[in-house]
Amino acid sequence: MKLHIFITRHRLPAFFTMAFALSWLAWLPYVLSDNGLGIVHFRFPQLLGTPQLLGVLPGAYLGPILSAFIVTAVAEGRPGLRRWTGRLLRWRVKWWWYAATLLGVPVALTLASLPFAHGFAVPGASVLVAYLPALVLQMITTGLAEEPGWRDFALPHLQPRFGALRGTLILGPLWGFWHLPLFLTEWGGWPDVHWYTVVEFVVAATALSVVMTWVFNRSGESLPVAMVLHTSVNNYMSVAWLEVFPGIDPHSSSRILLIASTVAAVVLIAVTRGRLGYRPRAAEPVERVLTA
């Protein structure tokens, strides 16, 4: 009973604590394996050409989405779960939201990459054929594992209390730091990882969160659109980026994401005056704000 009361009164601390603890604990074998620090001499087998599906994905699913479900179920019951899943299933939005995210992300990342590249190339047919199936895979792995927690649970609890911009500036760094153990693995380029790479990633995650908050709010809190935005970044960088810029330094990916996200975030903050499309609901109960 005391745990139920604590979670109800402190929903955000409970969510973030569980999300970090569950993910980091599940990632520990991957970090210690030969895919990471090499303390335990075992390599995760490859699935669909990568060990990350078995090494990284379980921790992602055990973290944000499971924590959001538990806190919502305990603190808000079935009405809260209906609101939570309702945003997750809110895919019927104007078509141009999907077009804007699917096309806007590659364009922004391509433009940000040009100063670091020595020319570019037209991607081959194999890249074009693989792009959409890879995006679908990203949606049901990375997108589904993370966004029901970060954007579907945390953001709607942060915005009423802190506003859109301040709430996002809380969420963004936490989202970035959640990835911290993965920089000790192949996922983060280990052992060729520098401290500034981690800093760039966290700042980029914060800037990207500003864009995602605006998209989430303006699309009527459609989580599928936010998921497409998130996974489009991952998909372009993993499938097409090195094909478009074959001579580019692969380690510059976090810097390029930082540049593209920061420019977009600054523009959105200026144009929306920091509101980022957020409109407080008149009927939003004060109790929810105070106990979030």
Side-chain angles (χ1 to χ4, degrees):
M1 180 60 71
K2 290 183 179 180
L3 182 59
H4 176 278
I5 295 174
F6 176 84
I7 292 176
T8 302
R9 291 180 177 177
H10 306 284
R11 301 172 199 180
L12 282 169
F15 163 74
F16 284 118
T17 300
M18 280 195 289
F20 274 67
L22 291 173
S23 291
W24 287 17
L25 184 62
W27 286 337
L28 187 59
Y30 191 62
V31 172
L32 297 178
S33 73
D34 287 331
N35 299 93
L37 299 177
I39 297 175
V40 178
H41 295 298
F42 166 79
R43 292 194 68 87
F44 277 74
Q46 292 195 359
L47 183 64
L48 297 180
T50 175
Q52 294 179 18
L53 288 177
L54 296 177
V56 178
L57 192 58
Y61 275 122
L62 285 173
I65 185 172
L66 180 59
S67 301
F69 173 81
I70 292 173
V71 174
T72 303
V74 171
E76 303 176 30
R78 290 184 178 179
L81 287 174
R82 282 195 293 269
R83 288 191 295 270
W84 182 64
T85 55
R87 291 187 292 265
L88 176 60
L89 300 175
R90 197 168 295 163
W91 58 272
R92 289 187 176 182
V93 296
K94 294 186 182 298
W95 65 269
W96 47 262
W97 277 111
Y98 293 104
T101 51
L102 285 171
L103 298 177
V105 167
V107 169
L109 292 173
T110 298
L111 292 176
S113 300
L114 289 174
F116 299 89
H118 304 288
F120 61 93
V122 177
S126 60
V127 173
L128 299 177
V129 170
Y131 196 82
L132 285 181
L135 180 65
V136 173
L137 180 62
Q138 287 275 2
M139 284 285 287
I140 61 179
T141 53
T142 301
L144 187 59
E146 293 191 36
E147 292 309 326
W150 308 130
R151 246 57 61 172
D152 196 358
F153 175 85
L155 187 59
H157 282 79
L158 284 164
Q159 288 191 126
R161 187 173 183 178
F162 299 103
L165 182 57
R166 284 195 299 164
T168 300
L169 294 179
I170 294 171
L171 175 60
L174 289 170
W175 178 35
F177 278 118
W178 173 77
H179 295 81
L180 196 58
L182 296 178
F183 283 94
L184 301 175
T185 71
E186 295 172 342
W187 180 95
W190 182 264
D192 300 321
V193 177
H194 303 281
W195 65 268
Y196 54 81
T197 304
V198 180
V199 172
E200 286 175 350
F201 181 85
V202 173
V203 177
T206 304
L208 181 60
S209 291
V210 172
V211 181
M212 293 189 69
T213 293
W214 179 78
V215 168
F216 179 77
N217 288 332
R218 290 292 293 160
S219 64
E221 296 187 341
S222 169
L223 195 66
V225 174
M227 289 168 61
V228 169
L229 173 59
H230 179 177
T231 56
S232 288
V233 173
N234 294 9
N235 196 51
Y236 178 79
M237 298 304 287
S238 62
V239 175
W241 183 57
L242 290 177
E243 296 290 333
V244 176
F245 301 102
I248 202 167
D249 179 6
H251 294 96
S252 63
S253 58
S254 60
R255 191 165 304 151
I256 288 165
L257 176 60
L258 171 61
I259 293 171
S261 301
T262 300
V263 170
V266 169
V267 170
L268 288 174
I269 291 171
V271 170
T272 68
R273 299 180 180 179
R275 297 186 182 92
L276 301 178
Y278 177 58
R279 296 179 181 178
R281 297 184 182 88
E284 199 159 37
V286 176
E287 182 183 357
R288 177 189 170 192
V289 176
L290 295 178
T291 59

